[in-house]
Amino acid sequence: MAKVISTLFISADGVAEIDPDWHFPYFDENMGRAVTEDYDAADVLLIGRETYDSFAGAWPDREAAGGDDAPFAKQLGDMRKVVVSRRSPEFSWRNSELISGDLLDAVAALKADAGVRGVLIPGSISVVQQLLAAGLVDELRLLVHPVAARKGRRLFDEGDAAYHLRLVASEAFPTGVLRVIYAPGTAPAPVGYDEITDQVPAGN
């Protein structure tokens, strides 16, 4: 089964709608390495319409310009891009297609497709939220910036049930950014205060 991986730049207070003012000052070679690893883990991009429009409005021109970021721009262009949209857009970026049918059914089909190595979801908060609720996200790869954004869309919306996560890997960058990779976890056994009193600080 192909992995579905969500990769997000996120603030310490959970905002995943990035603001260049708090994001780019923390982008260094370590973050670049992490992003490279994320994209190398997949051969399909699953993105919402807003993310697609943002990417398609920038990366083809960067590829054509031939600058330092042209190789990455070419990698993005060469990848299969499956776009989640209620409308039927005219795609100008190569290897782009509209998702076929229901989102959850389409993602389940991608996961089961023997020809798909991995599905990466960069940004696209609403898509990630739907897939988290359906249990279809295999990994959350978060680059947590040492800033409280205080405004913007958060990754985790309100709901009745908690999402329990299992830490797969973590790394601290010199900038203060934390890279954390989570997989779905199981809820721990219920525990109340009376059962942890022996762990409470003894005091002086």
Side-chain angles (χ1 to χ4, degrees):
M1 295 286 284
K3 276 188 177 180
V4 173
I5 300 169
S6 165
T7 179
L8 290 158
F9 304 120
I10 192 167
S11 68
D13 58 343
V15 172
E17 182 182 3
I18 64 169
D19 182 332
D21 288 343
W22 61 254
H23 168 56
F24 286 120
Y26 293 103
F27 204 106
D28 66 353
E29 66 275 10
N30 296 288
M31 194 178 290
R33 168 178 52 82
V35 170
T36 297
E37 291 173 2
D38 292 345
Y39 278 84
D40 286 348
D43 48 4
V44 174
L45 290 185
L46 177 66
I47 46 182
R49 177 61 189 269
E50 289 185 11
T51 301
Y52 176 83
D53 287 345
S54 175
F55 278 27
W59 289 112
D61 290 341
R62 290 170 181 167
E63 180 180 354
D68 290 341
D69 55 358
F72 181 62
K74 182 180 184 303
Q75 180 182 354
L76 292 180
D78 290 343
M79 292 180 77
R80 178 185 174 191
K81 291 166 283 292
V82 180
V83 183
V84 182
S85 175
R86 293 186 178 90
R87 293 179 287 150
S88 298
E90 292 185 7
F91 295 120
S92 58
W93 199 12
R94 68 184 184 276
N95 299 323
S96 300
E97 64 192 74
L98 187 66
I99 199 165
S100 177
D102 175 76
L103 171 63
L104 304 186
D105 291 341
V107 171
L110 285 170
K111 285 172 65 72
D113 188 336
V116 175
R117 181 167 52 90
V119 179
L120 187 70
I121 314 169
S124 306
I125 301 170
S126 62
V127 174
V128 175
Q129 289 174 340
Q130 293 176 69
L131 298 183
L132 278 171
L136 289 173
V137 175
D138 297 295
E139 285 187 357
L140 277 175
R141 299 190 177 190
L142 307 178
L143 287 161
V144 185
H145 295 51
V147 58
R150 303 183 66 197
K151 62 180 180 179
R153 291 188 63 192
R154 286 170 166 75
L155 169 59
F156 298 109
D157 53 359
E158 292 191 7
D160 296 328
Y163 292 130
H164 293 276
L165 305 171
R166 173 175 57 86
L167 183 64
V168 175
S170 64
E171 183 181 2
F173 298 159
T175 56
V177 169
L178 299 177
R179 186 190 190 195
V180 291
I181 300 176
Y182 290 113
T186 56
V191 173
Y193 179 77
D194 290 343
E195 294 163 282
I196 56 92
T197 54
D198 59 331
Q199 304 298 323
V200 173
N204 297 319

